Amino acid sequence: MSKQPLIPRIGKKVHLADFDPAFHDDFENEKTANKRVEEDIVRLDALQDMLYAGGARSLLVVLQGIDTGGKDGTVRHVFRGLDPQGVHVASFKAPTADELAHDFLWRIHPHTPAKGRISIFNRSYYEDVLVPRVHKLVPKSVWEARYDQINQFESMLVANGTAILKFFLYISKDEQKRRLEDRLHDPQKQWKFSLDDLKERDYWDTYIEAYEGMLTRCNTEEAPWYIVPGNHKWYRNLVVANAVADTLDKMKLSYPKPKEALDAVVVAD
C-alpha cells in the first residue's frame, strides 16, 4: 500500500481526490490499530496531568468533517481516558440571532482553552467558510475574507501558548450512505438521523469544493490541517490519538516545583 500524507503541502492547492478515505497505512485490521490507540490513551493520561498541573500551555483540537464523518465517535473513543476537569467540549450549531449580530468569531473565543486545559471543538469556526459558501448565505467577498481572519485568530492563539490540532475527518460518499442507512434502520441510532442530512448530501460536490478551499487557505505552519482517512473508524481513532499524544509530548511538559521547600516538612500524627 502506498503511503499517504496526513498533512497536505502548505501553500499548495488541496485536491481531495488525491486522498483515499479508505487508507489505513500498514494497519491491516481493527485489533492491531486498537492496540496502538490504547497505548496512546495511556500516554495522553500522563501528558494531560502534566499539562493541567503546569498551567502554562493549552491545546485546541478542531474536528471538522462531512456529516457522519465521526466527530462524536472521535471524541468518545480518543479522549475517554482524560480527566474531565481539564477538558472542555464545545459543539457549534447554526448561529443564534444574537451570534449573527456579532462577528463570526465572537461566539468562539470564550470556548478556547485556558492554560493547562484542552478544548475540543466538535465543528468549529470553520462552519462559517463552509455552510455560508455552499448555501450562498453571504457574498463571496465575506466568506473569502474569513480565511485570513481565521489564520490571524489561530496565530494569536498560538502566540499565547495554545497548540492547535485541526482534523478533517474524510469519508467517501458511499461510506456516508452506508452510515446514514445504519442510522435509519438501527433503533439505537435513529435519534441521530435527520432528514436535513439527506438534504445536505445533495450538496456533496459543492461541500467537497468548500472543504478544499478551507484546507488550502487555512493550512499553515502554525496550525496545519490533518486530512484523516475516516472510512475505517479504527484508523481514524489511531491517527487522532497519536497526533494529540505526540503534540503534547513535544511541549516538553513537566510537573511544577513546589512553592515552598518541603524537605523539612513533617506531617503530624
Side-chain angles (χ1 to χ4, degrees):
M1 180 178 295
S2 61
K3 295 295 182 181
Q4 178 170 296
L6 289 171
I7 299 175
R9 291 180 63 188
I10 292 170
K12 300 295 183 180
K13 169 69 176 174
V14 173
H15 299 280
L16 284 171
D18 296 335
F19 295 82
D20 179 7
F23 178 77
H24 51 81
D25 204 359
D26 295 327
F27 293 87
E28 293 301 326
N29 55 57
E30 184 173 358
K31 182 178 180 180
T32 56
N34 284 348
K35 183 176 183 297
R36 177 70 65 83
V37 171
E38 292 304 320
E39 291 170 355
D40 282 328
I41 287 176
V42 172
R43 290 172 64 203
L44 282 173
D45 179 43
L47 289 163
Q48 186 213 7
D49 197 48
M50 287 188 284
L51 177 76
Y52 186 79
R57 298 289 308 277
S58 57
L59 175 65
L60 172 61
V61 177
V62 174
L63 300 176
Q64 283 290 153
I66 295 166
D67 289 334
T68 75
K71 297 177 289 295
D72 293 345
T74 300
V75 174
R76 184 167 61 251
H77 290 286
V78 173
F79 300 99
R80 66 181 186 273
L82 299 187
D83 184 345
Q85 293 182 101
V87 181
H88 170 61
V89 179
S91 298
F92 296 95
K93 306 296 184 182
T96 65
D98 189 32
E99 290 168 344
L100 286 171
H102 294 80
D103 69 272
F104 76 102
L105 290 170
W106 178 78
R107 65 175 180 158
I108 305 297
H109 211 156
H111 298 281
T112 58
K115 294 185 186 301
R117 308 299 179 94
I118 297 173
S119 285
I120 303 165
F121 286 179
N122 184 338
R123 299 187 189 271
S124 70
Y125 41 92
Y126 282 101
E127 292 294 297
D128 292 287
V129 293
L130 295 170
V131 177
R133 173 176 176 169
V134 169
H135 292 285
K136 297 179 171 56
L137 301 179
V138 297
K140 179 180 178 180
S141 59
V142 173
W143 59 255
E144 196 165 56
R146 289 174 178 172
Y147 292 132
D148 289 335
Q149 292 162 2
I150 285 172
N151 289 341
Q152 292 164 7
F153 176 68
E154 291 178 345
S155 181
M156 180 270 295
L157 293 178
V158 171
N160 283 275
T162 298
I164 302 175
L165 282 172
K166 303 185 302 194
F167 299 105
F168 173 62
L169 309 181
Y170 182 37
I171 62 172
S172 66
K173 192 174 184 180
D174 286 343
E175 177 64 15
Q176 186 193 57
K177 181 176 187 295
R178 189 192 67 77
R179 293 184 185 185
L180 286 171
E181 289 176 338
D182 190 36
R183 288 182 182 181
L184 181 62
H185 300 300
D186 186 341
Q188 294 184 355
K189 295 182 180 179
Q190 286 177 346
W191 67 274
K192 296 185 72 174
F193 187 86
S194 170
L195 293 177
D196 287 339
D197 290 340
L198 300 183
K199 295 176 183 177
E200 291 297 280
R201 181 172 163 81
D202 290 337
Y203 292 91
W204 179 275
D205 292 340
T206 311
Y207 267 109
I208 291 297
E209 190 177 321
Y211 281 121
E212 289 176 340
M214 172 192 82
L215 294 166
T216 298
R217 292 289 301 276
C218 297
N219 188 38
T220 64
E221 294 284 355
E222 293 177 312
W225 273 106
Y226 287 71
I227 299 179
V228 182
N231 276 14
H232 299 288
K233 297 176 182 179
W234 46 266
Y235 185 67
R236 173 203 72 203
N237 294 340
L238 183 151
V239 169
V240 175
N242 188 252
V244 175
D246 282 353
T247 296
L248 290 174
D249 197 40
K250 290 174 183 175
M251 290 183 185
K252 304 299 181 185
L253 301 167
S254 61
Y255 289 105
K257 295 181 179 179
K259 296 178 181 179
E260 299 89 9
L262 302 180
D263 293 345
V265 174
V266 176
V267 179
D269 292 335

